[in-house]
Amino acid sequence: LLAIGTTGMNITLWNLETCSGSNHDGKIEEHKSSPLKGHTYSVYSLKFSKSGLLVSGSLDGHVILWDPELGTILKRMMNPNKVGFRVVAISADNETIVAGGDDDLVHIWSQHQYTNVKGHDNTVFALDISPDERYLVSGSSDESIKIWDLTTWPPSKLSSSEEVHDLGITCCAFQPAPTVTVPSSDGQLLPSSTTPTSSPKRPLDQRMTLATGGNDSFIRIWWLDEVTCNIKARQVLE
């Protein structure tokens, strides 16, 4: 599925499978559950979980967890400050949802708990959760990146890097965990994540990789050092 948020408050869903294969004419068909209606202002951010659930964040100050196949709302979360959201992210197990926006806070919902953490001095535009679900990265128009520990409650700030991008950070993403195939009991090969939830220090070429983008037109690649929890510059893409 492809999900698109609009200034018209709705989310449209599109079935990409309809545009491929010999039996199709290349047209993308709208999904039977589209549009999703639940927000009252512009939908600014969308993110699918690994299991296919969809989380949306809006300038109406609400975050909604959807079952896109059925078109139903599973959970609705609200900014207690009644301030709009610019970015959302969701963990692979659907248990943790994070959002950031114009109140400069990172909002976190996890297993029926809610909290928010202060670390930025301007709008939070970028969020992502690490593949092993231990770390949260946040980026802001204040040009800084923060790394947060999701294994504690409330999440604690592990490190801060300033002046990462001139004019602010617009997006960030952890590199997904590599996937290998492992034999099942019946001899078939099944995909399996190679990222453990706890492990000794990784070899240099297997350290967690993070990418950031900003208003300076650059993409920066970083290593997250899991000993110091600092990010180290690796490459700049121009």
Side-chain angles (χ1 to χ4, degrees), residues 97-127:
I97 295 173
V98 295
D102 294 333
D103 58 4
D104 311 342
L105 300 174
V106 177
H107 299 259
I108 304 154
W109 294 268
S110 183
Q111 298 180 351
H112 308 293
Q113 301 179 94
Y114 164 78
T115 191
N116 61 66
V117 290
K118 172 69 174 176
H120 293 286
D121 297 322
N122 214 322
T123 300
V124 177
F125 277 107
L127 291 169

Side-chain angles (χ1 to χ4, degrees), residues 80-93:
N81 300 322
K82 299 182 179 179
V83 177
F85 289 118
R86 302 280 181 172
V87 62
V88 293
I90 184 170
S91 61
D93 61 4

Side-chain angles (χ1 to χ4, degrees):
L1 284 181
L2 170 67
I4 300 176
T6 70
T7 56
M9 302 179 291
N10 296 335
I11 301 165
T12 57
L13 299 175
W14 302 88
N15 190 351
L16 297 182
E17 292 181 353
T18 62
C19 68
S20 62
S22 58
N23 296 326
H24 302 292
D25 57 7
K27 293 182 179 179
I28 301 176
E29 295 180 1
E30 193 165 359
H31 191 270
K32 62 183 180 181
S33 299
S34 179
L36 303 180
K37 298 180 179 181
H39 290 291
T40 59
Y41 205 48
S42 302
V43 178
Y44 214 89
S45 181
L46 295 167
K47 187 79 172 183
F48 279 104
S49 73
K50 275 192 172 183
S51 65
L53 299 184
L54 177 67
V55 62
S56 61
S58 168
L59 295 182
D60 64 7
H62 288 242
V63 171
I64 299 177
L65 181 65
W66 306 83
D67 181 334
E69 288 294 333
L70 300 177
T72 56
I73 295 176
L74 301 177
K75 188 175 183 180
R76 181 186 291 271
M77 295 143 280
M78 186 177 71
N79 187 334
N81 300 322
K82 299 182 179 179
V83 177
F85 289 118
R86 302 280 181 172
V87 62
V88 293
I90 184 170
S91 61
D93 61 4
N94 303 322
E95 293 292 334
T96 301
I97 295 173
V98 295
D102 294 333
D103 58 4
D104 311 342
L105 300 174
V106 177
H107 299 259
I108 304 154
W109 294 268
S110 183
Q111 298 180 351
H112 308 293
Q113 301 179 94
Y114 164 78
T115 191
N116 61 66
V117 290
K118 172 69 174 176
H120 293 286
D121 297 322
N122 214 322
T123 300
V124 177
F125 277 107
L127 291 169
D128 199 21
I129 296 172
S130 65
D132 60 9
E133 301 177 2
R134 294 167 56 197
Y135 303 108
L136 168 67
V137 59
S138 61
S140 165
S141 52
D142 65 7
E143 303 182 0
S144 73
I145 278 183
K146 317 292 182 186
I147 304 294
W148 306 87
D149 184 359
L150 289 180
T151 66
T152 64
W153 191 263
S156 57
K157 184 169 66 177
L158 297 173
S159 66
S160 177
S161 300
E162 310 299 324
E163 299 181 353
V164 172
H165 287 273
D166 289 341
L167 306 177
I169 296 156
T170 57
C171 53
C172 65
F174 281 103
Q175 184 179 35
T179 307
V180 297
T181 53
V182 295
S184 64
S185 57
D186 59 2
Q188 294 183 340
L189 293 178
L190 300 175
S192 174
S193 171
T194 62
T195 303
T197 55
S198 61
S199 63
K201 183 178 177 181
R202 299 174 182 173
L204 186 62
D205 61 352
Q206 294 183 23
R207 290 184 184 178
M208 204 169 291
T209 302
L210 171 69
T212 60
N215 287 314
D216 56 5
S217 304
F218 294 146
I219 299 170
R220 300 184 184 274
I221 310 298
W222 312 84
W223 269 322
L224 173 61
D225 188 318
E226 295 187 66
V227 175
T228 66
C229 293
N230 291 317
I231 59 172
K232 298 181 179 180
R234 179 181 177 188
Q235 189 176 6
V236 178
L237 306 178
E238 301 184 28

